[in-house]
Amino acid sequence: MGRPIVRDHELGFDRIRVLLGVAFGPIVIGYAVVASLLVVVVALAPRADFSAEGVLFAACPAWLAAYQAPLDIDGAPLGVLPLLPTFAVVLAVFRASMAASYRLDHLDGGQAGVVLRALPVMGAVAGAHALTAVAFVGISVGTSVEAQFPEAIVMPTVVSVVAALVGAATASSDEWLHRLDPVAVRGIRAGLVAFGVLMGLGALAYVGATLAAWSTLETLFEAFSPDPGSAVGMVLLSTAYVPNAAVLAASVLTGGGFVIGSVSVSAFAMDPGPLPALPVLAGLPAEYGSWWPLLLVLPLALGAAVGWSLRDVDERVVVRLRAVLVAGVVCGFCALVVAAVTGGELGGGAYDPVSVRAEVFSLTAFAFVAGPGAVVAWLTGAKSDSRRTPRKRQRARRP
């Protein structure tokens, strides 16, 4: 009788270790990476007063910013936060949650259901991130970089829980994915791929515009980053904001556009004005180009490709159109989410606010996928034989 009890205790300790790992593993790794980058920047900066304690304290609001928690820098609000660190922490929580779900499933012998495995993982991740956020917000109070309350606690908790939910669901997809409508699953996958390609097109457009303005980029670095330390810091900062720039460019490609203070940019018009002297914005043209509407061909081609990929979903036209509609809704929803987190306050001055027209971006992303995709799926799909008469179908079956 004693051996099963010992075995139960061992399983209980194993579960605790798994949950502690998924709860604090991404937090420790993320904080260590942020602190290491700050050490590199401070060490290279001339006349910098290096302090290990100062770096560790400065890493606290930087960690919060990675979860899109707004900050106040010397009293000026900063809500435009880089998306690259956010993608990194989301990926870390996602992978840790997926691995923890696999491990819990192994410990339970595959007997626990999907919900029973996901809830402990999500609870552990949410609790650890909430406690860490509370501690880091308290540390930042009264400093030059102060986290905004209560957003600085809510955002890390929400972002981490969503990533943990997706990770746990992915780990157990074999148990629930087959219960969904296969047409809807094809549409969801096509929509996610379409959104990824749209972001890729935005990134290519941004990189191309930046390379075309290389002289401006060099001037900005020479003026504001003359020493190695500040240059490295500027490179890291600009790299972290590249996904934000890709979202802004993608919104222009779909016809929506964005606003930075008094500057407004879209595929059909541009209102110039003052811009922050940041290398990440070096590629923004000084005036409107009459050829910009031709950029709409790219999302049109993307929508046509989605329709082509879904042409073999079913012989019935209505079913194919339903798959394309699902893909468009998924792409539009993803566009709405990234547009909501891309913009924000920028110091409250002449460059404030930075915003993507989220509702326009979402609707145009949906339309560019659903419209051309529906036409292509309709015209290129397999023809149904539902209109054939019984005599024609009988003749078709004869050898």
Side-chain angles (χ1 to χ4, degrees):
M1 296 296 293
R3 295 184 65 181
I5 295 177
V6 173
R7 180 58 179 167
D8 290 341
H9 287 172
E10 291 177 354
L11 290 176
F13 288 131
D14 288 341
R15 290 191 184 93
I16 293 175
R17 283 196 293 267
V18 170
L19 293 177
L20 287 176
V22 71
F24 292 101
I27 295 175
V28 173
I29 293 174
Y31 180 80
V33 171
V34 171
S36 300
L37 292 176
L38 290 178
V39 168
V40 172
V41 174
V42 174
L44 292 176
R47 298 180 301 275
D49 185 12
F50 180 82
S51 168
E53 181 181 359
V55 171
L56 294 177
F57 277 105
C60 295
W63 181 90
L64 293 171
Y67 288 86
Q68 296 295 307
L71 307 173
D72 287 327
I73 301 178
D74 291 330
L78 177 62
V80 186
L81 300 167
L83 287 178
L84 185 59
T86 304
F87 292 156
V89 296
V90 166
L91 180 61
V93 175
F94 168 80
R95 290 179 60 86
S97 301
M98 188 167 61
S101 297
Y102 283 131
R103 181 60 177 163
L104 291 177
D105 182 50
H106 175 72
L107 293 175
D108 295 332
Q111 297 179 358
V114 177
V115 177
L116 293 179
R117 290 198 304 271
L119 287 180
V121 172
M122 294 171 58
V125 169
H129 278 78
L131 290 175
T132 305
V134 170
F136 285 179
V137 169
I139 291 174
S140 70
V141 172
T143 63
S144 58
V145 182
E146 186 172 352
Q148 296 182 10
F149 179 84
E151 294 89 341
I153 298 176
V154 173
M155 289 304 298
T157 306
V158 171
V159 171
S160 62
V161 165
V162 172
L165 173 60
V166 177
T170 303
S172 57
S173 59
D174 294 339
E175 301 180 27
W176 57 267
L177 194 60
H178 65 278
R179 302 177 185 177
L180 302 180
D181 181 8
V183 175
V185 173
R186 283 283 301 273
I188 292 172
R189 289 174 175 170
L192 293 175
V193 172
F195 177 73
V197 173
L198 180 60
M199 291 298 101
L201 292 174
L204 288 176
Y206 165 73
V207 171
T210 302
L211 292 177
W214 189 260
S215 59
T216 303
L217 196 65
E218 291 181 338
T219 301
L220 291 174
F221 269 97
E222 291 176 357
F224 299 100
S225 304
D227 54 84
S230 57
V232 170
M234 187 67 76
V235 169
L236 292 175
L237 181 65
S238 301
T239 303
Y241 276 99
V242 166
N244 301 63
V247 174
L248 299 183
S251 68
V252 174
L253 294 180
T254 57
F258 60 90
V259 174
I260 302 178
S262 60
V263 178
S264 176
V265 182
S266 74
F268 305 102
M270 177 178 179
D271 294 329
L275 288 171
L278 297 174
V280 73
L281 297 175
L284 190 61
E287 58 184 12
Y288 177 75
S290 58
W291 56 272
W292 287 5
L294 296 178
L295 296 172
L296 301 179
V297 174
L298 296 176
L300 281 172
L302 174 60
V306 170
W308 179 261
S309 68
L310 297 175
R311 72 191 186 283
D312 59 347
V313 168
D314 197 275
E315 291 185 350
R316 292 167 293 178
V317 174
V318 175
V319 178
R320 297 200 298 270
L321 294 182
R322 179 158 60 90
V324 173
L325 179 63
V326 171
V329 170
V330 171
C331 186
F333 176 76
C334 293
L336 181 65
V337 172
V338 298
V341 298
T342 296
E345 296 179 297
L346 187 59
Y351 313 127
D352 188 67
V354 177
S355 64
V356 180
R357 299 181 180 94
E359 68 286 351
V360 179
F361 186 29
S362 177
L363 290 175
T364 53
F366 164 79
F368 275 113
V369 170
V375 174
V376 173
W378 189 351
L379 297 179
T380 63
K383 304 299 181 182
S384 174
D385 62 350
S386 59
R387 294 185 180 181
R388 295 182 181 179
T389 62
R391 179 173 298 179
K392 290 181 178 180
R393 287 198 297 268
Q394 184 178 4
R395 290 177 180 175
R397 287 195 296 267
R398 289 178 180 178

